[in-house]
Amino acid sequence: MYRISILITCHNRRDKTLACLDALFKNKLPEGYKLDVFLVDDGSADGTRKAVSERFSDVRLIKGDGNLYWNGGMRVAWEAAITSGVTYDYFIWLNDDSHVYPDAVRKVVDSFETLVGTGETPGALVGTMVDPTSKRPTYGGRRSVSKLNPMKMSGVLSPGVDPVKCHFVNGNFTIISAKAFQAIGNLSEAYTHSMGDFDYGLRLIEAEFTCWVAPGTYGECESNSMIGGWQDNSLPLHERVKLIRSITQQPPLDEWIIFIKRHAGPFWVLYWLSATIRHKFPIYWLKIHDFKRKFR
């Protein structure tokens, strides 16, 4: 029997959250699988909490104050799971804008168990999300492509017929073993919104676990659009400056510095310099970014 905890956080995306849960509960599970869903509603004002409780009464709803964001909300969900009195075999991170396929949970558990059976020590196994239209990978695992500069990473890896090792994991649909959790604990308190998933995968590797991209694809999730964000160079610079300072668009300077000191190797100072320019001189940083993008 497998006891699996699904961890989700949401904020003011009622329809997406309901669609995510609907897809999750359509999963066809073998006998002996038991799912418990822990959902942090981080201060939604759009009726998310009421709608979820009416349609999915088995979901364990946890109320946030609106200041948790992704990393904080997922930490709270995970804490609720481990203090619930149930011993879980696996934990699955699931983003509320991801629609998993009906075989996703069974398939990702099977893939994890297969890795263990080959003598590997997996800590995290990420299921690749694809664009609903193009079917190209949007979220999943990435690989560091330079030993000297470990922050230099590939694009989202295309899954194969066998598991593929990776270094960076997105939190859209990722399974983590109880053994891995016991070794390194919850997501780091150092991050509010972004970087927590990347940090967790890298911490697992430091603890001598491995991170993998599971074979095949596991659901659909659109990429975050650049339109209307800080990378949208059709917007006035002063609007982009406001956006780049939003916690949902870029990590705060102090959180980014923590991340690069932990994981960027000898080049962390260069990342610090770039982030400091972004923080103190955002207009110039944006102009440099736009110039570099022209030649990619």
Side-chain angles (χ1 to χ4, degrees), residues 112-127:
F112 203 104
E113 291 288 323
T114 298
L115 275 170
V116 172
T118 64
E120 294 287 350
T121 54
L125 179 69
V126 56

Side-chain angles (χ1 to χ4, degrees), residues 226 228-244 282-283 286-287 290:
M226 291 192 302
W230 69 267
Q231 297 188 75
D232 186 351
N233 56 16
S234 70
L235 296 176
L237 270 174
H238 71 275
E239 290 292 335
R240 295 175 68 195
V241 167
K242 289 181 183 178
L243 289 166
I244 207 171
I283 289 177
L286 284 167
K287 287 181 176 179
D290 291 347

Side-chain angles (χ1 to χ4, degrees), residues 9-13 40-46 49 62-74 76 192-193 246-248:
T9 189
C10 67
H11 175 71
N12 281 344
R13 300 200 294 193
V40 172
D41 176 32
D42 191 25
S44 295
D46 64 350
R49 184 176 177 84
I62 304 142
K63 186 177 181 181
D65 61 5
N67 295 301
L68 291 172
Y69 296 92
W70 186 85
N71 192 76
M74 295 297 278
V76 170
T192 306
H193 183 61
S246 166
I247 198 168
T248 60

